Amino acid sequence: GQQVMQIPQYQHVQEGEDFTTYCNSSTTLSNIQWYKQRPGGHPVFLIQLVKSGEVKKQKRLTFQFGEAKKNSSLHITATQTTDVGTYFCAPRASNSGYALNFGKGTSLLVTP
Amino acid sequence: SAVISQKPSRDICQRGTSLTIQCQVDSQVTMMFWYRQQPGQSLTLIATANQGSEATYESGFVIDKFPISRPNLTFSTLTVSNMSPEDSSIYLCSVEGQGWGYTFGSGTRLTVV
């Protein structure tokens, strides 16, 4: 079955530093979604990537989908304290059901 | 995207009792999903609830422990039965959006004492 690894598990940065989390799958994906969960909150949808090599940007956030559609990354430029939270990838294989299955997440702490 | 009202937001329950969690969606959806999130952990899918049919449970979750109702296309309940402290967790419902990813309820934080 599909194996997904999300790294790192934790990241502590100073405000203004960059941050990247990676999601790596053992199998080729149909698409991948990214979610952010603030402390005490619920997951909130950020983006969906579908195409091989796709790159999407949302302000300071850059999302990439690997050429082989097995890997994805989320990069935050110049982190702010509002970026604190846990970032989850939700990869989907072609034979996935309708429900989402999540990576273990990367918890980001930003120190002012 | 859909808006989900989930309640209760939190509860403290005695072991051996049951708690029913409700999710109301502001639009009709075919499938609703129930997740559990233990402290500091990722989300684990409990079951998928379709209107008019039995819910489909993931490995490790059974209907007797987590009965689900789906009486119409906008509403679902999840019951956590015969609770033990190991059931202390956050429970979330979710629906698939129209190109907007999945939307989650605000969660129910359950503590079993």
Side-chain angles (χ1 to χ4, degrees):
Chain A
Q2 178 184 306
Q3 302 273 353
V4 172
M5 181 178 295
Q6 190 173 351
I7 55 173
Q9 187 175 1
Y10 302 100
Q11 187 83 60
H12 182 182
V13 300
Q14 292 287 120
E15 190 171 25
E17 293 181 337
D18 292 356
F19 159 78
T20 305
T21 173
Y22 301 89
C23 189
N24 302 314
S25 170
S26 60
T27 59
T28 302
L29 302 172
S30 174
N31 61 69
I32 190 165
Q33 297 182 6
W34 286 91
Y35 289 78
K36 176 183 179 181
Q37 184 174 27
R38 294 180 186 273
H42 57 276
V44 174
F45 173 72
L46 294 176
I47 206 89
Q48 176 171 284
L49 304 172
V50 178
K51 300 176 183 177
S52 169
E54 189 170 18
V55 178
K56 289 187 176 180
K57 293 191 175 186
Q58 292 179 350
K59 297 183 180 178
R60 294 178 294 105
L61 276 61
T62 302
F63 303 85
Q64 295 192 26
F65 203 9
E67 293 290 340
K69 298 183 72 172
K70 288 186 175 182
N71 307 305
S72 183
S73 64
L74 158 58
H75 179 82
I76 302 178
T77 303
T79 55
Q80 300 175 358
T81 55
T82 54
D83 295 324
V84 165
T86 302
Y87 294 84
F88 292 99
C89 65
R92 308 191 75 179
S94 56
N95 59 355
S96 293
Y98 290 98
L100 288 178
N101 288 291
F102 290 84
K104 292 191 180 298
T106 297
S107 293
L108 172 64
L109 179 61
V110 180
T111 305
Chain B
S1 59
V3 176
I4 303 176
S5 174
Q6 181 173 347
K7 56 183 181 181
S9 59
R10 60 178 63 231
D11 207 341
I12 300 173
C13 300
Q14 296 289 327
R15 66 177 68 200
T17 63
S18 297
L19 175 71
T20 295
I21 302 166
Q22 301 180 3
C23 277
Q24 178 76 52
V25 190
D26 68 345
S27 58
Q28 294 185 338
V29 292
T30 305
M31 287 180 284
M32 294 180 71
F33 309 98
W34 288 96
Y35 289 86
R36 181 173 72 184
Q37 186 175 30
Q38 296 179 311
Q41 302 295 313
S42 185
L43 291 84
T44 300
L45 180 67
I46 297 172
T48 299
N50 289 325
Q51 193 269 332
S53 63
E54 290 267 324
T56 303
Y57 289 82
E58 298 299 303
S59 175
F61 299 96
V62 295
I63 187 171
D64 290 347
K65 176 67 176 178
F66 297 101
I68 287 171
S69 80
R70 185 81 204 276
N72 57 54
L73 291 173
T74 63
F75 187 78
S76 181
T77 67
L78 170 76
T79 299
V80 187
S81 303
N82 188 24
M83 289 183 285
S84 67
E86 292 72 34
D87 295 320
S88 297
S89 192
I90 298 171
Y91 294 85
L92 300 113
C93 61
S94 176
V95 301
E96 184 176 12
Q98 298 291 331
W100 295 100
Y102 286 62
T103 301
F104 287 81
S106 54
T108 297
R109 184 179 295 271
L110 170 62
T111 302
V112 183
V113 298

mmCIF file of all heavy atoms in Angstrom, chain A residues 1-4 25-33 48-50 65 68-70 89-102, chain B residues 102:
data_model
loop_
_atom_site.group_PDB
_atom_site.id
_atom_site.type_symbol
_atom_site.label_atom_id
_atom_site.label_comp_id
_atom_site.label_asym_id
_atom_site.label_seq_id
_atom_site.Cartn_x
_atom_site.Cartn_y
_atom_site.Cartn_z
ATOM 1 N N GLY A 1 0.814 -1.206 0.000
ATOM 2 C CA GLY A 1 0.000 0.000 0.000
ATOM 3 C C GLY A 1 0.847 1.256 0.000
ATOM 4 O O GLY A 1 2.078 1.200 0.062
ATOM 5 N N GLN A 2 0.181 2.354 -0.098
ATOM 6 C CA GLN A 2 0.901 3.630 -0.178
ATOM 7 C C GLN A 2 1.553 3.963 1.154
ATOM 8 O O GLN A 2 0.923 3.905 2.200
ATOM 9 C CB GLN A 2 -0.105 4.712 -0.556
ATOM 10 C CG GLN A 2 0.465 6.115 -0.632
ATOM 11 C CD GLN A 2 -0.618 7.128 -0.919
ATOM 12 O OE1 GLN A 2 -1.355 7.007 -1.865
ATOM 13 N NE2 GLN A 2 -0.728 8.127 -0.076
ATOM 14 N N GLN A 3 2.845 4.327 1.080
ATOM 15 C CA GLN A 3 3.575 4.766 2.262
ATOM 16 C C GLN A 3 3.938 6.231 2.048
ATOM 17 O O GLN A 3 4.465 6.591 1.002
ATOM 18 C CB GLN A 3 4.858 3.941 2.444
ATOM 19 C CG GLN A 3 4.624 2.447 2.565
ATOM 20 C CD GLN A 3 4.361 2.039 3.990
ATOM 21 O OE1 GLN A 3 4.477 2.828 4.891
ATOM 22 N NE2 GLN A 3 3.989 0.785 4.175
ATOM 23 N N VAL A 4 3.656 7.047 3.044
ATOM 24 C CA VAL A 4 3.945 8.471 2.937
ATOM 25 C C VAL A 4 4.773 8.895 4.133
ATOM 26 O O VAL A 4 4.473 8.540 5.261
ATOM 27 C CB VAL A 4 2.645 9.288 2.900
ATOM 28 C CG1 VAL A 4 2.952 10.770 2.998
ATOM 29 C CG2 VAL A 4 1.877 8.986 1.638
ATOM 30 N N SER A 25 6.201 10.051 -1.122
ATOM 31 C CA SER A 25 5.374 8.859 -1.258
ATOM 32 C C SER A 25 6.159 7.736 -1.922
ATOM 33 O O SER A 25 7.031 7.970 -2.757
ATOM 34 C CB SER A 25 4.143 9.187 -2.101
ATOM 35 O OG SER A 25 3.430 8.005 -2.443
ATOM 36 N N SER A 26 5.813 6.509 -1.553
ATOM 37 C CA SER A 26 6.456 5.346 -2.169
ATOM 38 C C SER A 26 5.827 5.011 -3.522
ATOM 39 O O SER A 26 6.377 4.238 -4.293
ATOM 40 C CB SER A 26 6.364 4.133 -1.242
ATOM 41 O OG SER A 26 5.011 3.818 -0.985
ATOM 42 N N THR A 27 4.665 5.589 -3.782
ATOM 43 C CA THR A 27 3.967 5.303 -5.030
ATOM 44 C C THR A 27 3.613 6.599 -5.748
ATOM 45 O O THR A 27 3.592 7.680 -5.141
ATOM 46 C CB THR A 27 2.681 4.504 -4.775
ATOM 47 O OG1 THR A 27 1.833 5.272 -3.904
ATOM 48 C CG2 THR A 27 2.968 3.170 -4.117
ATOM 49 N N THR A 28 3.335 6.494 -7.012
ATOM 50 C CA THR A 28 2.945 7.658 -7.804
ATOM 51 C C THR A 28 1.568 8.146 -7.365
ATOM 52 O O THR A 28 0.647 7.343 -7.165
ATOM 53 C CB THR A 28 2.920 7.304 -9.305
ATOM 54 O OG1 THR A 28 4.218 6.840 -9.683
ATOM 55 C CG2 THR A 28 2.553 8.522 -10.136
ATOM 56 N N LEU A 29 1.464 9.443 -7.233
ATOM 57 C CA LEU A 29 0.228 10.035 -6.729
ATOM 58 C C LEU A 29 -0.620 10.593 -7.860
ATOM 59 O O LEU A 29 -0.119 11.001 -8.900
ATOM 60 C CB LEU A 29 0.560 11.143 -5.737
ATOM 61 C CG LEU A 29 1.398 10.724 -4.529
ATOM 62 C CD1 LEU A 29 1.821 11.948 -3.725
ATOM 63 C CD2 LEU A 29 0.616 9.763 -3.659
ATOM 64 N N SER A 30 -1.906 10.613 -7.611
ATOM 65 C CA SER A 30 -2.821 11.292 -8.524
ATOM 66 C C SER A 30 -2.788 12.799 -8.258
ATOM 67 O O SER A 30 -2.753 13.610 -9.186
ATOM 68 C CB SER A 30 -4.232 10.745 -8.320
ATOM 69 O OG SER A 30 -5.156 11.477 -9.079
ATOM 70 N N ASN A 31 -2.839 13.155 -7.013
ATOM 71 C CA ASN A 31 -2.725 14.547 -6.626
ATOM 72 C C ASN A 31 -2.330 14.616 -5.163
ATOM 73 O O ASN A 31 -2.252 13.582 -4.481
ATOM 74 C CB ASN A 31 -4.031 15.314 -6.871
ATOM 75 C CG ASN A 31 -5.201 14.765 -6.073
ATOM 76 O OD1 ASN A 31 -5.240 14.884 -4.859
ATOM 77 N ND2 ASN A 31 -6.152 14.152 -6.765
ATOM 78 N N ILE A 32 -2.078 15.792 -4.685
ATOM 79 C CA ILE A 32 -1.743 15.972 -3.282
ATOM 80 C C ILE A 32 -2.337 17.287 -2.808
ATOM 81 O O ILE A 32 -2.355 18.277 -3.548
ATOM 82 C CB ILE A 32 -0.218 15.911 -3.052
ATOM 83 C CG1 ILE A 32 0.110 15.866 -1.563
ATOM 84 C CG2 ILE A 32 0.485 17.089 -3.733
ATOM 85 C CD1 ILE A 32 1.550 15.450 -1.282
ATOM 86 N N GLN A 33 -2.851 17.253 -1.615
ATOM 87 C CA GLN A 33 -3.390 18.461 -1.003
ATOM 88 C C GLN A 33 -2.548 18.807 0.228
ATOM 89 O O GLN A 33 -1.926 17.932 0.826
ATOM 90 C CB GLN A 33 -4.850 18.262 -0.588
ATOM 91 C CG GLN A 33 -5.770 17.990 -1.766
ATOM 92 C CD GLN A 33 -7.225 17.842 -1.353
ATOM 93 O OE1 GLN A 33 -7.598 18.042 -0.205
ATOM 94 N NE2 GLN A 33 -8.070 17.509 -2.312
ATOM 95 N N GLN A 48 -4.222 22.321 -3.761
ATOM 96 C CA GLN A 48 -4.167 20.998 -4.378
ATOM 97 C C GLN A 48 -3.233 21.074 -5.581
ATOM 98 O O GLN A 48 -3.330 21.999 -6.390
ATOM 99 C CB GLN A 48 -5.554 20.528 -4.821
ATOM 100 C CG GLN A 48 -5.508 19.196 -5.562
ATOM 101 C CD GLN A 48 -6.865 18.598 -5.810
ATOM 102 O OE1 GLN A 48 -7.485 18.054 -4.910
ATOM 103 N NE2 GLN A 48 -7.337 18.697 -7.038
ATOM 104 N N LEU A 49 -2.353 20.089 -5.694
ATOM 105 C CA LEU A 49 -1.447 19.978 -6.819
ATOM 106 C C LEU A 49 -1.800 18.721 -7.596
ATOM 107 O O LEU A 49 -2.021 17.665 -6.999
ATOM 108 C CB LEU A 49 0.008 19.897 -6.341
ATOM 109 C CG LEU A 49 0.475 21.063 -5.447
ATOM 110 C CD1 LEU A 49 1.855 20.773 -4.881
ATOM 111 C CD2 LEU A 49 0.492 22.360 -6.230
ATOM 112 N N VAL A 50 -1.831 18.846 -8.911
ATOM 113 C CA VAL A 50 -2.289 17.730 -9.731
ATOM 114 C C VAL A 50 -1.262 17.345 -10.801
ATOM 115 O O VAL A 50 -1.058 16.168 -11.075
ATOM 116 C CB VAL A 50 -3.628 18.075 -10.411
ATOM 117 C CG1 VAL A 50 -4.092 16.939 -11.304
ATOM 118 C CG2 VAL A 50 -4.691 18.397 -9.374
ATOM 119 N N PHE A 65 5.099 20.078 -6.757
ATOM 120 C CA PHE A 65 4.796 18.667 -6.971
ATOM 121 C C PHE A 65 5.903 18.125 -7.863
ATOM 122 O O PHE A 65 6.194 18.699 -8.913
ATOM 123 C CB PHE A 65 3.450 18.517 -7.650
ATOM 124 C CG PHE A 65 2.764 17.194 -7.456
ATOM 125 C CD1 PHE A 65 3.231 16.242 -6.564
ATOM 126 C CD2 PHE A 65 1.612 16.903 -8.167
ATOM 127 C CE1 PHE A 65 2.580 15.039 -6.376
ATOM 128 C CE2 PHE A 65 0.937 15.702 -7.982
ATOM 129 C CZ PHE A 65 1.422 14.768 -7.093
ATOM 130 N N ALA A 68 7.984 13.230 -10.856
ATOM 131 C CA ALA A 68 7.509 11.846 -10.817
ATOM 132 C C ALA A 68 6.195 11.714 -10.051
ATOM 133 O O ALA A 68 5.665 10.606 -9.929
ATOM 134 C CB ALA A 68 8.573 10.956 -10.184
ATOM 135 N N LYS A 69 5.686 12.810 -9.554
ATOM 136 C CA LYS A 69 4.442 12.830 -8.772
ATOM 137 C C LYS A 69 4.523 11.887 -7.577
ATOM 138 O O LYS A 69 3.547 11.192 -7.228
ATOM 139 C CB LYS A 69 3.234 12.503 -9.648
ATOM 140 C CG LYS A 69 3.027 13.525 -10.754
ATOM 141 C CD LYS A 69 1.785 13.249 -11.590
ATOM 142 C CE LYS A 69 0.529 13.555 -10.846
ATOM 143 N NZ LYS A 69 -0.675 13.474 -11.706
ATOM 144 N N LYS A 70 5.697 11.868 -6.953
ATOM 145 C CA LYS A 70 5.849 11.089 -5.722
ATOM 146 C C LYS A 70 6.220 11.981 -4.541
ATOM 147 O O LYS A 70 6.136 11.556 -3.393
ATOM 148 C CB LYS A 70 6.944 10.034 -5.902
ATOM 149 C CG LYS A 70 6.570 8.877 -6.796
ATOM 150 C CD LYS A 70 7.676 7.828 -6.784
ATOM 151 C CE LYS A 70 7.274 6.599 -7.582
ATOM 152 N NZ LYS A 70 8.329 5.550 -7.526
ATOM 153 N N CYS A 89 0.350 17.129 4.676
ATOM 154 C CA CYS A 89 0.080 16.782 3.290
ATOM 155 C C CYS A 89 -0.974 15.678 3.291
ATOM 156 O O CYS A 89 -1.078 14.900 4.252
ATOM 157 C CB CYS A 89 1.336 16.330 2.563
ATOM 158 S SG CYS A 89 2.093 14.798 3.162
ATOM 159 N N ALA A 90 -1.746 15.621 2.233
ATOM 160 C CA ALA A 90 -2.776 14.590 2.077
ATOM 161 C C ALA A 90 -2.643 14.059 0.653
ATOM 162 O O ALA A 90 -3.275 14.578 -0.277
ATOM 163 C CB ALA A 90 -4.162 15.163 2.330
ATOM 164 N N PRO A 91 -1.787 13.067 0.485
ATOM 165 C CA PRO A 91 -1.554 12.532 -0.857
ATOM 166 C C PRO A 91 -2.658 11.577 -1.274
ATOM 167 O O PRO A 91 -3.232 10.881 -0.440
ATOM 168 C CB PRO A 91 -0.230 11.772 -0.679
ATOM 169 C CG PRO A 91 -0.205 11.386 0.756
ATOM 170 C CD PRO A 91 -0.960 12.434 1.511
ATOM 171 N N ARG A 92 -2.917 11.544 -2.556
ATOM 172 C CA ARG A 92 -3.967 10.677 -3.082
ATOM 173 C C ARG A 92 -3.434 9.897 -4.273
ATOM 174 O O ARG A 92 -2.937 10.476 -5.234
ATOM 175 C CB ARG A 92 -5.185 11.482 -3.472
ATOM 176 C CG ARG A 92 -5.658 12.388 -2.359
ATOM 177 C CD ARG A 92 -6.988 12.991 -2.640
ATOM 178 N NE ARG A 92 -8.046 12.006 -2.465
ATOM 179 C CZ ARG A 92 -9.325 12.292 -2.632
ATOM 180 N NH1 ARG A 92 -9.693 13.474 -2.990
ATOM 181 N NH2 ARG A 92 -10.234 11.343 -2.458
ATOM 182 N N ALA A 93 -3.585 8.588 -4.173
ATOM 183 C CA ALA A 93 -3.209 7.724 -5.286
ATOM 184 C C ALA A 93 -4.443 7.525 -6.162
ATOM 185 O O ALA A 93 -5.565 7.826 -5.769
ATOM 186 C CB ALA A 93 -2.699 6.381 -4.760
ATOM 187 N N SER A 94 -4.215 6.988 -7.348
ATOM 188 C CA SER A 94 -5.322 6.824 -8.294
ATOM 189 C C SER A 94 -6.367 5.843 -7.766
ATOM 190 O O SER A 94 -7.529 5.918 -8.127
ATOM 191 C CB SER A 94 -4.812 6.355 -9.655
ATOM 192 O OG SER A 94 -4.079 5.152 -9.505
ATOM 193 N N ASN A 95 -5.958 4.922 -6.906
ATOM 194 C CA ASN A 95 -6.896 3.942 -6.373
ATOM 195 C C ASN A 95 -7.365 4.298 -4.962
ATOM 196 O O ASN A 95 -7.906 3.462 -4.242
ATOM 197 C CB ASN A 95 -6.268 2.553 -6.363
ATOM 198 C CG ASN A 95 -4.997 2.504 -5.535
ATOM 199 O OD1 ASN A 95 -4.526 3.531 -5.045
ATOM 200 N ND2 ASN A 95 -4.439 1.322 -5.376
ATOM 201 N N SER A 96 -7.132 5.554 -4.583
ATOM 202 C CA SER A 96 -7.571 5.998 -3.268
ATOM 203 C C SER A 96 -9.091 6.105 -3.231
ATOM 204 O O SER A 96 -9.731 6.349 -4.252
ATOM 205 C CB SER A 96 -6.987 7.373 -2.936
ATOM 206 O OG SER A 96 -5.602 7.327 -2.786
ATOM 207 N N GLY A 97 -9.633 5.926 -2.067
ATOM 208 C CA GLY A 97 -11.045 6.188 -1.876
ATOM 209 C C GLY A 97 -11.285 7.676 -1.854
ATOM 210 O O GLY A 97 -10.414 8.481 -2.169
ATOM 211 N N TYR A 98 -12.487 8.045 -1.467
ATOM 212 C CA TYR A 98 -12.839 9.464 -1.469
ATOM 213 C C TYR A 98 -12.289 10.198 -0.256
ATOM 214 O O TYR A 98 -12.095 11.404 -0.281
ATOM 215 C CB TYR A 98 -14.358 9.607 -1.499
ATOM 216 C CG TYR A 98 -14.951 9.189 -2.815
ATOM 217 C CD1 TYR A 98 -15.501 7.925 -2.979
ATOM 218 C CD2 TYR A 98 -14.945 10.051 -3.895
ATOM 219 C CE1 TYR A 98 -16.049 7.539 -4.187
ATOM 220 C CE2 TYR A 98 -15.491 9.677 -5.108
ATOM 221 C CZ TYR A 98 -16.034 8.417 -5.250
ATOM 222 O OH TYR A 98 -16.561 8.037 -6.450
ATOM 223 N N ALA A 99 -12.011 9.469 0.814
ATOM 224 C CA ALA A 99 -11.543 10.121 2.028
ATOM 225 C C ALA A 99 -10.082 10.505 1.887
ATOM 226 O O ALA A 99 -9.335 9.923 1.102
ATOM 227 C CB ALA A 99 -11.716 9.197 3.226
ATOM 228 N N LEU A 100 -9.686 11.492 2.674
ATOM 229 C CA LEU A 100 -8.296 11.904 2.726
ATOM 230 C C LEU A 100 -7.548 11.100 3.779
ATOM 231 O O LEU A 100 -8.088 10.812 4.846
ATOM 232 C CB LEU A 100 -8.189 13.384 3.107
ATOM 233 C CG LEU A 100 -8.598 14.415 2.080
ATOM 234 C CD1 LEU A 100 -8.447 15.801 2.684
ATOM 235 C CD2 LEU A 100 -7.786 14.283 0.817
ATOM 236 N N ASN A 101 -6.328 10.768 3.464
ATOM 237 C CA ASN A 101 -5.412 10.214 4.456
ATOM 238 C C ASN A 101 -4.230 11.168 4.556
ATOM 239 O O ASN A 101 -3.694 11.611 3.547
ATOM 240 C CB ASN A 101 -4.946 8.813 4.055
ATOM 241 C CG ASN A 101 -6.075 7.807 4.205
ATOM 242 O OD1 ASN A 101 -6.502 7.495 5.313
ATOM 243 N ND2 ASN A 101 -6.582 7.322 3.091
ATOM 244 N N PHE A 102 -3.857 11.468 5.777
ATOM 245 C CA PHE A 102 -2.904 12.538 6.013
ATOM 246 C C PHE A 102 -1.518 12.016 6.368
ATOM 247 O O PHE A 102 -1.384 10.948 6.990
ATOM 248 C CB PHE A 102 -3.400 13.419 7.170
ATOM 249 C CG PHE A 102 -4.601 14.237 6.814
ATOM 250 C CD1 PHE A 102 -5.872 13.704 6.896
ATOM 251 C CD2 PHE A 102 -4.453 15.554 6.393
ATOM 252 C CE1 PHE A 102 -6.978 14.457 6.550
ATOM 253 C CE2 PHE A 102 -5.553 16.313 6.056
ATOM 254 C CZ PHE A 102 -6.816 15.775 6.136
ATOM 255 N N TYR B 102 -11.074 19.798 1.196
ATOM 256 C CA TYR B 102 -12.019 19.285 2.174
ATOM 257 C C TYR B 102 -12.213 20.307 3.285
ATOM 258 O O TYR B 102 -11.269 20.974 3.701
ATOM 259 C CB TYR B 102 -11.512 17.963 2.763
ATOM 260 C CG TYR B 102 -11.633 16.793 1.810
ATOM 261 C CD1 TYR B 102 -10.948 16.777 0.603
ATOM 262 C CD2 TYR B 102 -12.454 15.710 2.117
ATOM 263 C CE1 TYR B 102 -11.069 15.717 -0.271
ATOM 264 C CE2 TYR B 102 -12.575 14.644 1.250
ATOM 265 C CZ TYR B 102 -11.876 14.657 0.052
ATOM 266 O OH TYR B 102 -11.996 13.603 -0.815
#
